[in-house]
Amino acid sequence: MPAWLLWLIASGLFAAGEVASLDLVLLMFAGGALGGMSVALLGGEVWLQLVAFIVVSTALLVVVRPIAKRQLLDRTPEQIDGVASYVGRTAVVSERVDEHAGRVRLGHDEWTARTQLDGEAYDVGDEVRIVQIEGPIAYVSHT
């Protein structure tokens, strides 16, 4: 089996291991294995392939990994996802909403809705703001 193919397989195994660890270390080793594969394709000796692997892996670990990790960590805490992303958005009443029942349309989705305060009610076509979501129910108020 040619050496370049072994390096390619090693790179794939490192990349697959990265999926399990999510620490961005094995991914840098995968890049180093691609460096070793490149030297093998150019006809370099095994020791040169190993040197390429070590140099590329080290460079990726020292330069790329900290930048990539910082980018991932800096953006994740502020990211709002799931149903929390709907809070604050406006919706249109599709079935009269009061404290007991109702429905609103938010984009292409339709939600069961209730008013936030007792005594409030909104008629079909009214625009409301989603103020809270608990399970399948969106609590709404004035826009």
Side-chain angles (χ1 to χ4, degrees):
M1 185 175 291
W4 67 268
L5 186 57
L6 293 174
W7 284 110
L8 184 61
I9 292 169
S11 179
L13 291 174
F14 281 131
E18 179 62 39
V19 171
S21 73
L22 299 174
D23 197 34
L24 298 178
V25 172
L26 294 176
L27 190 60
M28 302 306 130
F29 289 154
L34 291 177
M37 182 189 78
S38 299
V39 172
L41 282 172
L42 294 173
E45 297 290 327
V46 173
W47 69 271
L48 282 175
Q49 296 170 29
L50 289 172
V51 168
F53 170 75
I54 292 168
V55 167
V56 172
S57 294
T58 302
L60 290 173
L61 283 168
V62 171
V63 177
V64 176
R65 183 177 180 267
I67 295 169
K69 195 165 185 174
R70 188 174 339 110
Q71 288 294 321
L72 288 172
L73 293 177
D74 286 349
R75 294 185 182 182
T76 303
E78 297 173 10
Q79 182 177 349
I80 297 174
D81 57 1
V83 294
S85 66
Y86 292 119
V87 174
R89 295 179 58 189
T90 58
V92 177
V93 176
S94 58
E95 182 181 304
R96 187 175 195 279
V97 177
D98 58 26
E99 66 267 13
H100 303 293
R103 295 191 70 74
V104 295
R105 181 167 290 286
L106 178 62
H108 297 293
D109 297 329
E110 191 155 326
W111 284 77
T112 300
R114 306 284 186 272
T115 57
Q116 184 180 27
L117 302 172
D118 292 342
E120 283 184 322
Y122 303 103
D123 293 318
V124 175
D126 287 349
E127 193 171 270
V128 293
R129 181 167 313 281
I130 297 176
V131 293
Q132 179 182 354
I133 294 181
E134 286 184 11
I137 300 172
Y139 289 89
V140 298
S141 188
H142 296 289
T143 54

